[in-house]
Amino acid sequence: MPISKIWKGSEQRPGDTVLQDARPTDIVIPVMGPTGVGKSTFINTAAGADLTKVGHSLESCTAALTHAIVPYPYDRSRRIVFVDTPGFDDTYEDDAEILRRIAVWLARSYSDKVKLAGIIYLHEITQARMVGTSRKNFDMFDKLCGVKAAQNVILGTTKWANVKPDVAARREQQLGEFWKDMIQQGSKMAKFDGTSQSAWKIINTITDKQLLECLQIQNELVDLGKILPETAAGNALRSSLKDLVAAHKKTIMELRSGNEGGDDVQGRLKDTEDQIRTLLGQIQALKIPIGRRILAFFGFR
């Protein structure tokens, strides 16, 4: 492992959140996942107090990273530092900006010699299938972490009270299949049922492990000196574009075939075109190379 150097912070901007008063004994745990999955609820439940704002609408509450610091109950001289992160489907900020904010926090903390205890990734058990935004969130998360960090990752499920037990159990099994690569690399699945007991069971699983040396994106930005577009997480946006373009081509073929349901197909075509234009704008903001033909086709130069 290369020796960490002082990060140049080329991606850093005024107002970015950083951990100002880190201590060597801190237990630092970022909590990640899509918007509305229950990240703030998990932190507040574990803390036994309302330390972070909880949203009750479709709009996101956590547009910036926030810290929630609580005493470690098994050693009052230590602190648990929860990092409440925005999802990659934020209401007000695009994916490129969310990625930049998270990357800045991770790179700055690593450069300051702050080691993570582990990461909690949350997913709603209420979802009948892995929809596009959830898949995108997880793909980005996977690229942020990398293979070596997987053993310090907890893949948690939330909102069990909103689904019948047999349905929830079946979806949990399906999630296990979707997450199988990370599980094979050492990640653990866990259930957060809204109780303090279940929250602390997840936290204790992390604290029982050795501290992480670094995440993949920390190594890329700090040790290897890459810029954000060159990282695996940055390139994940390009993979998302590839999937959207494939869906766009499929919809065009359906229109040309003259099948029934033209209005529905037209609607899907417009939706994918809007998503592609949005994603292309984000990719251009990160200066990630992309084919000129795709840029021209969707009105970018």
Side-chain angles (χ1 to χ4, degrees), residues 1-248:
M1 171 64 63
I3 297 175
S4 171
K5 54 191 175 186
I6 300 300
W7 187 49
K8 295 179 181 178
S10 59
E11 308 290 347
Q12 197 165 348
R13 298 175 187 172
D16 281 340
T17 304
V18 295
L19 186 57
Q20 299 285 0
D21 61 341
R23 304 173 186 174
T25 56
D26 281 343
I27 302 167
V28 183
I29 304 175
V31 183
M32 304 184 71
T35 298
V37 73
K39 299 184 290 287
S40 299
T41 298
F42 175 89
I43 293 170
N44 291 342
T45 301
D50 292 335
L51 300 183
T52 60
K53 185 178 180 181
V54 177
H56 298 286
S57 68
L58 294 177
E59 295 186 344
S60 60
C61 281
T62 309
L65 281 78
T66 58
H67 300 122
I69 301 176
V70 299
Y72 183 44
Y74 305 105
D75 182 352
R76 305 296 287 188
S77 67
R78 303 185 69 189
R79 311 182 305 176
I80 291 188
V81 180
F82 293 110
V83 188
D84 193 1
T85 66
F88 289 107
D89 50 355
D90 186 82
T91 311
Y92 301 109
E93 300 288 355
D94 62 37
D95 292 345
E97 174 60 15
I98 296 302
L99 174 59
R100 188 197 63 80
R101 291 180 184 180
I102 293 174
V104 162
W105 190 95
L106 290 169
R108 173 66 182 272
S109 62
Y110 180 50
S111 184
D112 290 345
K113 309 264 189 277
V114 175
K115 289 189 175 183
L116 306 182
I119 303 181
I120 298 169
Y121 182 87
L122 298 178
H123 178 88
E124 288 185 41
I125 201 69
T126 54
Q127 288 192 4
R129 59 190 179 88
M130 187 64 71
V131 296
T133 54
S134 295
R135 183 183 295 271
K136 180 176 63 176
N137 263 274
F138 184 75
D139 287 346
M140 196 76 74
F141 173 75
D142 187 19
K143 299 298 188 299
L144 281 168
C145 292
V147 174
K148 293 182 179 179
Q151 61 186 352
N152 288 63
V153 170
I154 301 297
L155 302 169
T157 48
T158 64
K159 303 190 179 182
W160 282 74
N162 298 342
V163 182
K164 292 180 180 180
D166 59 327
V167 175
R170 186 167 61 251
R171 289 179 184 170
E172 186 180 37
Q173 185 177 10
Q174 292 168 346
L175 275 173
E177 286 298 311
F178 182 79
W179 288 337
K180 65 180 181 180
D181 288 345
M182 287 198 75
I183 292 171
Q184 289 172 355
Q185 294 159 9
S187 300
K188 303 293 183 185
M189 288 183 66
K191 173 181 175 181
F192 172 56
D193 61 8
T195 65
S196 176
Q197 182 180 10
S198 66
W200 277 99
K201 185 176 180 180
I202 291 173
I203 296 164
N204 290 337
T205 301
I206 287 176
T207 56
D208 286 342
K209 297 178 179 293
Q210 291 185 338
L211 295 179
L212 271 168
E213 284 299 321
C214 70
L215 301 182
Q216 178 168 315
I217 198 167
Q218 291 176 315
N219 175 245
E220 289 173 320
L221 291 174
V222 181
D223 294 323
L224 302 181
K226 292 184 177 182
I227 59 175
L228 191 53
E230 296 171 338
T231 65
N235 276 308
L237 289 175
R238 187 159 48 192
S239 297
S240 297
L241 176 64
K242 182 179 179 181
D243 292 341
L244 279 173
V245 169
H248 182 266

Side-chain angles (χ1 to χ4, degrees), residues 129 243-277 298:
R129 59 190 179 88
D243 292 341
L244 279 173
V245 169
H248 182 266
K249 289 179 178 179
K250 181 179 178 182
T251 307
I252 290 177
M253 290 179 65
E254 288 182 34
L255 275 175
R256 289 174 176 172
S257 68
N259 291 338
E260 295 183 4
D263 290 343
D264 176 62
V265 175
Q266 287 280 6
R268 284 194 284 118
L269 185 64
K270 184 180 183 305
D271 286 344
T272 55
E273 287 182 353
D274 289 344
Q275 291 179 59
I276 288 170
R277 287 193 176 93
F298 290 99

